[in-house]
Amino acid sequence: MVESKVEQLKGKLIVSCQALPHEPLHSSYIMGRMALAAKEGGAFGIRANTKEDIKEIQSQVDLPIIGIVKRDYEGSRVYITPTMKEVDELMEVRPEIIAVDATGALRPGELTLDAFFHQIKEKYPEQLLMADCSTIEEALHADELGFDFIGTTMVGYTEQSRNDKIESNDFEIIREIVAKAKHRVIAEGNINTPQKAKRVVELGVFSVVVGSIITRPQLITKAFAEALE
């Protein structure tokens, strides 16, 4: 059932509906309506943060959801679904896919990605998992571990990928991951035009996640305002 629902994402758009506590649209109610607007616009899936937002989104749309919990822990750079506590929270609302940081940084308690992956699989063997990666090496390692989906979410956001851009040289990073990975690849990060979204699907990704350029009006406004300065 879940797999057939997820299969609808093939070649389609996933919209990331997230607003952090310091952002103007931070509200589960608003994220639910944002997801509804995304569906009306043609989105086939949603990426969302926190069980509260996901529960509200599920009440508004019947689309597959990639669920995460962003949480900071002292002494760890990992903030996307960093521990089993966040996985357990997400399993209360059962998103079709759970995404976790797969950048290779140690999690709270000095836990490696490999150990964490096996912890999740032991407790929730049927749950589909997505790896949020920042380099080709991380993506291929996550692929070997057995993640169901390999994402380019963290490209440019880590020390080891700081100078990388996901769209550079016709999405070279994505092309290499698609060519070498056994599991489905989801393109995410800096895909801020319809043309880029179309291009990555042409390159063979399973699906594409678009976020800020659709769902963060303060950033969209800033781009227009800066152009006039």
Side-chain angles (χ1 to χ4, degrees):
M1 175 64 186
V2 169
E3 188 56 55
S4 64
K5 198 172 177 185
V6 166
E7 202 51 41
Q8 298 168 23
L9 296 171
K10 186 172 173 57
K12 301 297 186 182
L13 175 68
I14 299 166
V15 172
S16 181
C17 297
Q18 297 180 47
L20 297 173
H22 64 275
E23 295 181 277
L25 298 189
H26 178 66
S27 151
S28 295
Y29 174 85
I30 293 173
M31 289 303 107
R33 272 53 187 181
M34 188 77 82
L36 184 57
K39 181 185 178 181
E40 287 186 9
F44 273 70
I46 303 293
R47 179 168 163 125
N49 173 37
T50 75
K51 67 178 184 182
E52 292 81 11
D53 282 13
I54 292 169
K55 188 176 181 183
E56 180 60 31
I57 289 167
Q58 288 168 333
S59 78
Q60 296 301 310
V61 300
D62 183 28
L63 296 177
I65 293 173
I66 301 172
I68 63 170
V69 176
K70 288 182 174 173
R71 190 168 286 147
D72 292 316
Y73 284 85
E74 199 173 331
S76 175
R77 295 196 305 274
V78 175
Y79 61 91
I80 296 177
T81 322
T83 75
M84 280 303 293
K85 179 182 191 312
E86 288 74 38
V87 174
D88 289 339
E89 286 174 19
L90 288 168
M91 289 305 291
E92 290 176 36
V93 289
R94 296 193 171 273
E96 283 71 18
I97 302 166
I98 288 178
V100 308
D101 177 301
T103 62
L106 288 174
R107 315 185 97 76
E110 303 286 288
L111 198 67
T112 64
L113 174 65
D114 296 41
F116 185 55
F117 176 81
H118 294 307
Q119 266 187 13
I120 301 172
K121 278 297 178 190
E122 193 172 321
K123 191 167 185 181
Y124 304 112
E126 302 303 314
Q127 178 61 42
L128 295 175
L129 299 176
M130 174 174 168
D132 286 348
C133 306
S134 74
T135 67
I136 292 165
E137 293 72 26
E138 290 166 359
L140 297 181
H141 179 66
D143 185 53
E144 280 298 313
L145 267 179
F147 276 90
D148 303 283
F149 300 91
I150 312 299
T152 53
T153 321
M154 301 296 286
V155 175
Y157 291 97
T158 61
E159 191 62 38
Q160 62 271 29
S161 71
R162 198 174 49 196
N163 299 320
D164 294 331
K165 286 192 170 61
I166 196 176
E167 81 278 24
S168 63
N169 196 14
D170 193 29
F171 298 99
E172 187 176 357
I173 288 172
I174 286 176
R175 280 190 285 132
E176 187 162 343
I177 295 170
V178 167
K180 293 180 177 176
K182 299 187 291 287
H183 294 91
R184 293 168 283 192
V185 177
I186 294 179
E188 180 173 4
N190 204 46
I191 300 180
N192 51 16
T193 68
Q195 292 75 23
K196 287 182 186 179
K198 185 170 185 284
R199 181 61 182 145
V200 293
V201 170
E202 288 169 353
L203 292 173
V205 302
F206 176 70
S207 190
V208 54
V209 176
V210 178
S212 298
I213 200 66
I214 295 175
T215 57
R216 283 197 160 102
Q218 72 273 28
L219 298 182
I220 304 165
T221 304
K222 190 166 180 266
F224 280 90
E226 286 177 351
L228 299 181
E229 281 173 7

